[in-house]
Amino acid sequence: MLEQGTMTLGVNYWASHAATRMWSQWDAAVVEQDFVALEKIGCRLLRVFPLWPDFQPVMVLRSNCAKGGYPRGYAFTGERPLPATEAGRAGVDETMMERFETLADLAQKHGMKLIVPLINGHMTFRIYCPPAVDGLDAFTDPESLFWQNRFVRYFVGRMKHHPAILAWELGNESNCLSVADTRVAAWNWAAQISASIRQTDPSRPIFSGMHSLQLHDRQWEPRPNKWLITDQAELCDVLTTHPYQMWRSYVNCDPANTLRWVMLAPTENQLYHDIGGKPSIVEEIGTLRRTFSDFPALGRQLRNILWLLWASDARALLWWCAFDQTGMEFPPYDWDEAGMEHGILTGDRRLNPTGEAIAAFGEFLKRAPVQALPSAAHTAVCILGRDQEHYELVNAVNILARQAGLTLKFAFCEDEIPEAPCYFLPCMKRKGGLNRAAFRELARRVEAGATLCVTLDSDACPVEMAEFFGAEIVSRRKGSSVREYALNLGGTRVKLPLAPAYEFKLASRGAEPLDDSGTFLEFRRGGGRVILAALPLEKRMLEIPGSFQSIPACEFYRYCGAGALAGERLHPECREVLLSEHPASDSLCYAVVTNCSPDAREVALHPAAGWRIADCCSDSPETCLRDEGIFLPGNGGALLTLERV
């Protein structure tokens, strides 16, 4: 499970009858019925949540003559004495532990593994804390840390011998439990919890469980987010993404089931993997409201995402969540927050379209001709600078690259840049975050034959511009309207109607223009190329609804990556159909082809000379090969087997 090239399907689990009250309203028969229903549709991995105040219901007993009362001792809620046992000293209710052991036994019985977040103080917009620490800073207060570490050590120590447990986790979106004022506070908390886990059970991996990590400490943000990808990768073994599309304005501006929606999850997951250097899984994904599509469309969207995730070695997807929670009439479910129709199953265990998608994809994986999909070869590197809106930017860059046939790896400007035949430095701010040594190294790679493509943001100030780019900025003015950039890309004519916020006027110092306005330039440097676009192309594309389908900006990316694409075996002639190649040997290659449109598409594939399509396998009976092309239903995918003739 979670090995490279494999895909495990699962859910985040709260019991169908009680949701977050499942531990206080425990019913083992209901839990087993839930597991039977989940087992039937192929769910093999569950994320389960021992709710913090249920499992550690500690309160403080106070005496007088001190501000707020002097802490005299501790008890369980209801003033039940803490027993003189290991559980009592940890403040843990043994009844709850017995219930968790029963749940783990049932998971084992039905062939499912468990991810167990430990500090579950945040759940569905509500904070849950034991009375003894309620209102304290969960990340820095000594009293809170005292009880957290005692809980973790006792819980892990008691359950570490259970075979159903796959991994421990710091907690459920613990960076939403409070606000870490500094990066150091965030790191220290995660280091303490992970150390308590490892000291007690060094045999199992630790998952992160966080929501929306950053590339670097962004001091200028009004709401601090001090939780970094690299810090979590340092302290955990597996990173986790929670890519909910409905919260992202740069995604939900387009209709559901289109490119922006389906590409968000694989892109964010790959960002975490590439920056952190650790495996990453999509641990939460789903819909928290029905604003954007009906349920059948949501099922097709999930099918599309599953194909893209499998192709990008995401290793697992866990849907949020197992069952609809419409019958819950207590906080947070009766708050004015996002909806409760989350489940792949209804509250009475009927299958939702999302459950149908998981079941169908699981059956496809069983009969696929390859059980561990070989990795796609990375053909280009995207270098991300400081103080950029990284989540927005990587989504645009990855869509354009995938449309062009390129497979990206992401790198942060302050880290070591991987070797590649092609580099993208998108929407460059200031100097792109590159220090002098990194800039010189990029120049060396270009001179050795690589291609570097740079698009400029309005505050770009590249050094040695004439020497490196073969052009200089003469002036800059505020943009006023849409301009049509007519590019000649090696004989291919491309028109890009875009409205830049600022317009640069460039003077050539050896670079050749790629368009009539001189906004796009190419400069030969040694054995390689530097290609410059004097506008933030990727940001402009994000700002225009439907742009990735209607504006052929991906042809510019394809031109930049032409050298890296020289060995491609297939190329679909449709901007909404994405393809990745996965070489198994010199004579065998797999290709994952995915229709990122809600409408059916029939596209030509044009096998390269010496290659043929030997087989096609899909989760949909509608998918079929036709001559040298393929028919794909809306949001459908297929695995092609290519053989050398």
Side-chain angles (χ1 to χ4, degrees):
M1 192 174 284
L2 305 189
E3 291 297 317
Q4 183 173 331
T6 66
M7 189 72 181
T8 300
L9 306 178
V11 292
N12 292 265
Y13 176 74
W14 285 109
S16 60
H17 74 293
T20 54
R21 292 185 178 178
M22 65 175 281
W23 301 111
S24 59
Q25 299 176 9
W26 177 251
D27 191 326
V30 169
V31 172
E32 177 150 33
Q33 291 168 10
D34 289 349
F35 285 9
V36 168
L38 294 169
E39 182 184 14
K40 284 181 180 177
I41 60 173
C43 288
R44 298 178 55 220
L45 184 59
L46 305 181
R47 186 168 174 243
V48 295
F49 309 93
L51 198 66
W52 190 10
D54 284 345
F55 280 75
Q56 195 181 39
V58 180
M59 62 178 291
V60 182
L61 302 175
R62 298 182 184 276
S63 63
N64 62 343
C65 297
K67 288 183 179 180
Y70 179 79
R72 181 70 176 269
Y74 299 96
F76 286 138
T77 52
E79 300 187 9
R80 294 174 294 148
L82 297 181
T85 62
E86 186 181 356
R89 285 187 288 275
V92 175
D93 187 332
E94 291 199 67
T95 299
M96 294 298 168
M97 292 302 307
E98 291 167 1
R99 293 173 180 177
F100 191 89
E101 287 172 331
T102 300
L103 180 143
D105 291 342
L106 291 171
Q108 181 71 10
K109 176 181 176 181
H110 293 282
M112 294 183 280
K113 295 295 185 182
L114 303 178
I115 299 171
V116 186
L118 292 162
I119 303 300
N120 295 297
H122 164 257
M123 182 58 59
T124 312
F125 309 103
R126 182 179 169 184
I127 299 301
Y128 295 85
C129 292
V133 301
D134 194 21
L136 302 180
D137 188 326
F139 303 137
T140 61
D141 187 89
E143 181 91 358
S144 183
L145 293 170
F146 169 83
W147 286 112
Q148 288 179 60
N149 281 285
R150 283 203 163 188
F151 171 72
V152 168
R153 293 181 186 206
Y154 177 78
F155 191 103
V156 173
R158 177 153 173 173
M159 294 302 304
K160 66 181 179 180
H161 301 296
H162 203 289
I165 295 175
L166 175 73
W168 304 111
E169 191 165 87
L170 303 181
N172 175 57
E173 296 187 339
S174 296
N175 50 339
C176 299
L177 176 59
S178 181
V179 173
D181 294 325
T182 65
R183 175 190 178 186
V184 171
W187 188 94
N188 282 341
W189 178 86
Q192 278 200 48
I193 302 303
S194 61
S196 287
I197 297 170
R198 290 195 198 282
Q199 179 180 347
T200 313
D201 181 10
S203 68
R204 284 186 177 85
I206 298 175
F207 288 18
S208 168
M210 299 297 170
H211 175 67
S212 295
L213 302 172
Q214 299 297 323
L215 285 188
H216 63 91
D217 190 353
R218 294 149 62 114
Q219 301 288 348
W220 48 270
E221 280 195 336
R223 181 181 177 184
N225 186 342
K226 306 300 181 182
W227 303 81
L228 307 191
I229 296 173
T230 50
D231 289 350
Q232 287 294 298
E234 176 188 351
L235 299 168
C236 301
D237 303 297
V238 175
L239 299 173
T240 56
T241 55
H242 298 183
Y244 290 105
Q245 301 104 320
M246 72 287 297
W247 305 133
R248 313 295 177 88
S249 60
Y250 55 90
V251 171
N252 64 35
C253 59
D254 276 0
N257 297 22
T258 54
L259 274 162
R260 298 185 195 222
W261 284 78
V262 299
M263 280 294 290
L264 179 71
T267 299
E268 287 194 9
N269 204 67
Q270 185 181 339
L271 174 70
Y272 278 39
H273 172 268
D274 292 347
I275 299 298
K278 294 285 181 70
S280 183
I281 66 169
V282 177
E283 185 182 62
E284 286 188 25
I285 188 171
T287 181
L288 300 184
R289 62 181 67 190
R290 295 183 70 177
T291 304
F292 302 100
S293 69
D294 60 16
F295 273 8
L298 185 61
R300 293 190 295 272
Q301 180 190 124
L302 177 56
R303 176 175 69 181
N304 200 154
I305 292 170
L306 285 166
W307 279 102
L308 294 169
L309 289 175
W310 185 51
S312 62
D313 193 26
R315 307 196 185 189
L317 175 141
L318 281 73
W319 185 258
W320 186 274
C321 53
F323 297 95
D324 289 345
Q325 296 162 335
T326 50
M328 310 303 153
E329 297 182 359
F330 54 86
Y333 305 105
D334 61 356
W335 285 354
D336 186 24
E337 297 287 359
M340 298 174 289
E341 296 169 299
H342 306 160
I344 60 170
L345 295 158
T346 64
D348 56 0
R349 304 187 188 92
R350 289 177 288 111
L351 205 57
N352 278 327
T354 46
E356 294 171 358
I358 284 178
F361 198 77
E363 288 300 314
F364 155 75
L365 290 175
K366 290 178 184 177
R367 66 175 188 274
V370 58
Q371 293 304 301
L373 188 68
S375 297
H378 290 99
T379 50
V381 168
C382 172
I383 304 170
L384 301 166
R386 293 183 64 86
D387 298 335
Q388 293 178 308
E389 296 297 336
H390 294 113
Y391 284 109
E392 298 181 20
L393 188 58
V394 297
N395 214 43
V397 173
N398 205 27
I399 290 174
L400 291 173
R402 289 295 310 276
Q403 287 180 314
L406 297 164
T407 304
L408 283 181
K409 181 182 283 289
F410 295 108
F412 185 44
C413 60
E414 297 177 6
D415 297 332
E416 184 177 351
I417 308 300
E419 293 273 2
C422 182
Y423 301 89
F424 290 91
L425 189 57
C427 300
M428 180 180 184
K429 297 175 72 71
R430 299 187 292 277
K431 300 180 182 68
L434 297 168
N435 61 28
R436 296 292 290 156
F439 188 80
R440 284 194 299 270
E441 174 58 21
L442 266 184
R444 183 197 66 77
R445 296 183 190 183
V446 169
E447 289 169 356
T451 295
L452 171 64
C453 172
V454 179
T455 62
L456 301 182
D457 211 335
S458 57
D459 63 349
C461 52
V463 296
E464 299 175 353
M465 190 167 179
E467 296 85 352
F468 190 77
F469 293 99
E472 288 185 296
I473 297 172
V474 175
S475 63
R476 190 197 75 162
R477 69 175 185 178
K478 192 171 180 62
S480 56
S481 60
V482 174
R483 296 183 56 181
E484 186 170 86
Y485 298 92
L487 281 67
N488 183 355
L489 303 175
T492 301
R493 300 282 181 174
V494 174
K495 293 182 179 179
L496 306 180
L498 300 168
Y502 289 86
E503 296 178 4
F504 289 99
K505 182 179 180 181
L506 302 180
S508 173
R509 298 292 183 263
E512 296 293 329
L514 296 175
D515 74 312
D516 294 340
S517 70
T519 302
F520 294 80
L521 297 162
E522 180 174 350
F523 183 53
R524 295 284 175 173
R525 183 181 174 95
R529 303 181 296 163
V530 178
I531 299 173
L532 177 69
L535 80 169
L537 173 67
E538 298 81 5
K539 287 175 65 174
R540 297 289 81 83
M541 291 291 288
L542 281 178
E543 293 166 358
I544 305 170
S547 59
F548 295 99
Q549 294 88 335
S550 62
I551 299 175
C554 60
E555 294 300 326
F556 176 66
Y557 265 52
R558 186 166 179 82
Y559 178 75
C560 295
L565 291 168
E568 69 177 343
R569 300 163 184 84
L570 294 175
H571 176 63
E573 293 182 344
C574 178
R575 290 196 287 273
E576 294 174 290
V577 175
L578 306 183
L579 184 143
S580 59
E581 297 185 356
H582 305 261
S585 68
D586 290 341
S587 58
L588 177 65
C589 180
Y590 298 100
V592 178
V593 56
T594 313
N595 177 14
C596 302
S597 165
D599 302 317
R601 292 283 185 263
E602 183 171 357
V603 294
L605 294 175
H606 303 300
W611 288 89
R612 71 180 187 93
I613 302 173
D615 186 40
C616 174
C617 187
S618 177
D619 60 343
S620 169
E622 300 175 65
T623 303
C624 61
L625 294 174
R626 294 180 179 175
D627 297 325
E628 289 190 346
I630 188 170
F631 175 84
L632 293 164
N635 301 116
L639 174 67
L640 305 179
T641 302
L642 309 178
E643 294 178 349
R644 191 181 291 276
V645 178

